[in-house]
Amino acid sequence: MALDPVPFVTGRAVFIPGADIDTDRIIPARFMKCVTFDGLGEFAFYDVRFDSETGNKTNHPLNDPRFSGASILVAGVNFGCGSSREHAPQSLRKYGFNGVIAESFAEIFYGNSTTLAMPCVMASAADIVAIKDAVEADPTVVVTIDVKALKVTTSNGLDIPVTMPDSAREALLSGRWDPIQELLDNDKAIEAKARELHYV
């Protein structure tokens, strides 16, 4: 089946504070016993959303009702660092995030996010602060990650240049973001090539 291009994603946003937010903070290892990725969303940022002793909700931004339903995550530097677990971007996607804006990303996290059609774009530290201030002042502000134009815009007037690797941008714009689906779509060509190879 053909994959849908992702020229942009849009929605309300939430800022997650902190640098070097690693994959274990995004999805603690004890929740990775699932056979599929279904259900991972409820455990995203679990150890910082809930007090380990009482089980009560903390003051984490994802517990703030003002940001309920936010689908754009805004973060700082080196987001998604740590282990290479695919569960981290999967948990964010299952939670309801469609895109991430950060100063920088860990490479493996970035690649795994792209294969989920979840655009990750990079903005300067000053621009991250501007987006943070805008959504915290008015959580109803709509944020758009424009993959084609390489910019982030907000409904209250921000227009911010962003960057992303050309390979990720082209994959999203062409609907070729899932290499497994590409293999499935081209099984006949793969079989034909295999017949041509003497060592297969």
Side-chain angles (χ1 to χ4, degrees):
M1 67 178 183
L3 298 170
D4 293 329
V6 185
F8 67 90
V9 294
T10 190
R12 292 185 297 107
V14 59
F15 175 73
I16 306 296
D20 303 314
I21 294 177
D22 64 28
T23 52
D24 195 54
R25 198 178 337 170
I26 295 171
I27 180 70
R30 66 185 181 280
F31 298 121
M32 292 167 41
K33 298 174 183 177
C34 52
V35 176
T36 71
F37 295 117
D38 295 334
L40 277 184
E42 64 181 294
F43 302 118
F45 291 100
Y46 192 91
D47 286 348
V48 287
R49 288 194 297 123
F50 297 95
D51 185 282
S52 61
E53 294 184 4
T54 66
N56 294 332
K57 288 184 176 181
T58 66
N59 63 352
H60 192 272
L62 295 183
N63 292 332
D64 189 330
R66 296 181 306 153
F67 302 111
S68 177
S71 60
I72 305 291
L73 190 154
V74 183
V77 66
N78 201 25
F79 187 78
C81 59
S83 73
S84 60
R85 62 186 62 159
E86 188 181 355
H87 298 71
Q90 285 280 2
S91 69
L92 296 180
R93 200 74 162 99
K94 301 297 185 187
Y95 186 89
F97 289 112
N98 297 323
V100 185
I101 308 165
E103 286 183 59
S104 61
F105 294 88
E107 186 175 354
I108 294 175
F109 174 90
Y110 193 99
N112 287 336
S113 297
T114 302
T115 62
L116 297 175
M118 185 167 66
C120 295
V121 296
M122 289 160 278
S124 70
D127 285 335
I128 292 292
V129 171
I131 298 168
K132 165 191 173 293
D133 290 346
V135 300
E136 291 185 348
D138 181 4
T140 67
V141 163
V142 175
V143 176
T144 298
I145 299 174
D146 190 328
V147 175
K148 189 172 185 179
L150 284 179
K151 65 181 181 178
V152 166
T153 58
T154 67
S155 58
N156 66 346
L158 293 179
D159 192 326
I160 292 169
V162 294
T163 61
M164 69 189 312
D166 289 341
S167 57
R169 180 171 176 264
E170 290 166 8
L172 292 167
L173 291 177
S174 65
R176 299 179 65 187
W177 38 267
D178 185 348
I180 295 175
Q181 187 62 54
E182 282 203 87
L183 287 173
L184 294 173
D185 288 345
N186 291 281
D187 59 332
K188 288 185 173 52
I190 293 169
E191 290 171 4
K193 177 54 71 175
R195 286 193 294 271
E196 294 175 11
L197 302 175
H198 70 277
Y199 52 84
V200 175

